[in-house]
Amino acid sequence: MTRPNEKTTPAFDPQSSKHVPEAAEIPSEVLWGPHTERTRHLFPLGGERGEMRMPLEVVYAIALVKKAAARVWARRGAFSPAKAEAIAAAADEILAGRHDGQFPLPVWQTGSGTHTHINVNEVISQRANELLAARGADERVHPYDDVNRGQSSNDVFPTAVHIAARTLAEQRLFPALEEFLAVLWEKACAYRSTVKLGRTHLMDAVPLTFGQEISGWAALVEADLRRIREAAEELEELALGGTAVGTGLNAPDGFAEEVVEELARLTGFPLRRAGNPFAALSGQNALARFHGALRVLAADLFKIAGDVRLLASGPRGGLGEIRLPANEAGSSIMPGKVNPTQAEMLQMVAVQVMGYDAAVGFAAALGQLELTTFRPLVAYNVLTSLKLLADAVRAFTAFALRGLEADERAMRGHLSRSLMLVTALSPRIGYERAAEVARLAHREGITLREAAARLGVLSPEEFDQLVRPEDMVGTFLVREAGLCGDEGTPG
């Protein structure tokens, strides 16, 4: 079944493209119009199968722009209250997820995002007309003359991507990272006095506490979160008002400022117009910077997950210094095997985000003259990275970090056998003599205490006074006030 082509959108000249259906051949059950129908056939790159479809977050943000613009046009007297209300109601239905299936176009389309923008215009127009007809109104909503009035894909699409990314960061990534940090600091304080062997270059080093080790992880992510928040503020600058090339053609004075003000009320973010609309249309540096901050977070998460994998290795043939929850079977052939699956998942997500960042950086460099034409790619990568990181961090926190426990017996065993405790002897007997003690102990398979006595550099009693691992870890998290409370909880 097809529905007739309505007058809302002119048909494309069929002589210029015979291999796609006539504009009139639109399935009767859909809300989109001729442009979307043709685009579906011209870009068959998986959108209808849900593979690489334009993220719905972009669609929702475009709908929000349309709602805000309709309200402004009504206040200016250009739209009747009924028309503005119908457009806003159609947009609200999109925002509520009622029409998700009406946006079938893939990421791989025109580089300005125009096809998805018109898809939203057509759906809002058709649905608004249905609402008007149900009320017995004679008015009709046109996708270009009304829904898109005073706007262009070139300013609406980047505006929508900024709003979508800012919203996802606030609603999903930031809460996930805050929960992750809270659990990290809880663990750091719980193990603030648990002394263990430090390692540099994957080789034995001097002691530290497990709490200190974890605090390093937490501080990395705290800095990452701070950088992401700062970069997210730049996303609050919107391209709206630049229309086609930045000059604001067809948008009356003050229109864009009023729409941005309305968007700020709708989103709760302190949104503002970009200082230079020509830069806002021709570049993507704010998104590139933002995703760069996500890349740094991904790098730190990869490091933390890698540390967890190393510390949990074993349980008998590796370090075995921590225990992770046994969430599921680790092998289809080796009974009883448990693997650090959450850490591996987190590392894979981090690698994917780093790959996305390479594409974002390259795409951001490819703006030409008045317009950058790689916006859908950047939008997809930024939004996908946000969702991946948020979901991965939440899963890792819930199913690995919360149940992580120190194997203090293993930690003590590694520490007691470490040759690097000899470092505490250097101030007393010098670097060279201390090295002799370590070499002898290693070569003969004896303790440092025995080696020092055999070489005659220290008596066993003197050795015991100098080599006290608990006195070699400094004061951070152990005695410093303010970081952890008296009960070993974050202060």
Side-chain angles (χ1 to χ4, degrees):
M1 290 287 293
T2 60
R3 61 178 167 86
N5 178 32
E6 299 180 4
K7 63 180 181 179
T8 55
T9 308
F12 193 85
D13 179 6
Q15 297 302 314
S16 66
S17 189
K18 291 182 179 293
H19 60 287
V20 296
E22 294 283 347
E25 298 177 10
I26 304 169
S28 59
E29 69 275 10
V30 304
L31 294 173
W32 65 69
H35 182 94
T36 302
E37 182 63 20
R38 294 183 68 81
T39 304
R40 254 186 353 120
H41 294 277
L42 288 166
F43 299 91
L45 283 84
E48 293 203 74
R49 298 190 300 273
E51 302 164 5
M52 303 297 285
R53 183 179 294 184
M54 183 67 71
L56 284 169
E57 291 83 6
V58 175
V59 169
Y60 297 157
I62 294 174
L64 200 66
V65 173
K66 303 303 173 179
K67 176 180 178 177
R71 286 181 172 179
V72 170
W73 285 125
R75 287 199 292 266
R76 285 174 164 251
F79 285 0
S80 69
K83 178 179 284 190
E85 288 170 10
I87 292 173
D92 283 338
E93 289 182 0
I94 291 172
L95 289 164
R98 289 179 56 183
H99 302 301
D100 288 355
Q102 301 297 325
F103 305 101
L105 303 183
V107 171
W108 314 115
Q109 54 168 276
T110 177
S112 60
T114 299
H115 297 319
T116 289
H117 178 219
I118 295 178
N119 184 184
V120 178
N121 286 339
E122 289 181 334
V123 170
I124 289 178
S125 172
Q126 178 67 20
R127 182 59 185 143
N129 284 331
E130 291 176 355
L131 294 171
L132 287 169
R135 298 168 189 165
D138 293 330
E139 281 191 289
R140 287 295 177 265
V141 173
H142 192 285
Y144 297 113
D145 295 338
D146 296 321
V147 182
N148 196 55
R149 183 165 180 165
Q151 304 154 60
S152 164
S153 298
N154 296 351
D155 64 347
V156 169
F157 193 85
T159 292
V161 175
H162 276 214
I163 291 173
R166 183 67 185 85
T167 302
L168 268 180
E170 193 70 33
Q171 294 181 351
R172 291 180 61 173
L173 182 62
F174 295 165
L177 290 176
E178 288 163 358
E179 180 186 23
F180 179 72
L181 285 167
V183 177
L184 278 178
W185 280 114
E186 179 184 315
K187 297 290 183 181
C189 290
Y191 293 114
R192 60 181 176 174
S193 299
T194 302
V195 182
K196 67 182 291 289
L197 179 64
R199 296 176 179 87
T200 58
H201 304 271
L202 291 181
M203 305 297 284
D204 297 354
V206 295
L208 78 168
T209 72
F210 189 34
Q212 290 171 330
E213 192 167 44
I214 297 173
S215 79
W217 301 342
L220 288 173
V221 177
E222 283 179 336
D224 294 333
L225 179 55
R226 184 170 60 251
R227 280 187 287 264
I228 296 169
R229 287 188 186 278
E230 291 170 356
E233 291 178 4
E234 197 171 342
L235 299 180
E236 294 163 1
E237 288 195 357
L238 306 181
L240 199 69
T243 65
V245 298
T247 61
L249 182 66
N250 291 350
D253 290 343
F255 168 74
E257 287 79 4
E258 292 176 44
V259 176
V260 170
E261 186 178 331
E262 182 70 24
L263 286 168
R265 282 195 292 269
L266 290 169
T267 63
F269 299 127
L271 304 176
R272 57 197 179 277
R273 280 195 69 190
N276 187 302
F278 305 100
L281 267 62
S282 63
Q284 301 198 70
N285 54 4
L287 286 166
R289 178 196 177 199
F290 179 74
H291 199 280
L294 299 183
R295 183 200 69 235
V296 176
L297 169 65
D300 287 335
L301 292 175
F302 189 96
K303 178 263 192 298
I304 293 167
D307 286 353
V308 168
R309 290 179 69 195
L310 283 171
L311 292 173
S313 62
R316 296 189 177 182
L319 298 183
E321 291 190 346
I322 63 174
R323 292 185 292 267
L324 296 174
N327 294 323
E328 73 281 330
S331 173
S332 62
I333 189 172
M334 294 175 279
K337 194 173 192 296
V338 177
N339 294 330
T341 53
Q342 289 291 321
E344 291 167 358
M345 172 275 295
L346 188 58
Q347 287 190 309
M348 285 193 289
V349 166
V351 169
Q352 185 66 42
V353 170
M354 291 182 209
Y356 281 149
D357 190 69
V360 168
F362 190 23
L366 295 172
Q368 296 170 320
L369 301 178
E370 279 65 62
L371 186 68
T372 181
T373 53
F374 290 82
R375 289 199 183 278
L377 181 154
V378 172
Y380 180 86
N381 285 8
V382 170
L383 299 178
T384 303
S385 289
L386 277 166
K387 290 181 280 190
L388 277 174
L389 287 168
D391 292 348
V393 167
R394 280 201 183 281
F396 183 81
T397 302
F399 303 119
L401 191 57
R402 285 193 183 280
L404 181 152
E405 297 177 343
D407 188 328
E408 299 190 36
R409 179 179 178 183
M411 289 181 177
R412 286 193 300 271
H414 290 145
L415 182 62
S416 67
R417 295 189 295 273
S418 172
L419 298 176
M420 291 302 101
L421 295 176
V422 78
T423 306
L425 303 182
S426 293
R428 173 75 174 271
I429 65 176
Y431 184 95
E432 297 296 341
R433 292 293 278 168
E436 286 183 38
V437 171
R439 284 193 293 268
L440 177 62
H442 184 55
R443 185 174 60 249
E444 300 293 331
I446 58 178
T447 65
L448 291 171
R449 187 172 186 267
E450 292 167 334
R454 186 180 298 184
L455 290 171
V457 295
L458 289 171
S459 68
E461 292 75 22
E462 290 174 318
F463 181 93
D464 291 342
Q465 290 178 350
L466 293 172
V467 181
R468 297 173 57 85
E470 64 273 18
D471 292 337
M472 299 170 67
V473 298
T475 62
F476 188 80
L477 273 183
V478 179
R479 288 186 292 274
E480 275 197 2
L483 289 171
C484 298
D486 292 338
E487 302 301 320
T489 57

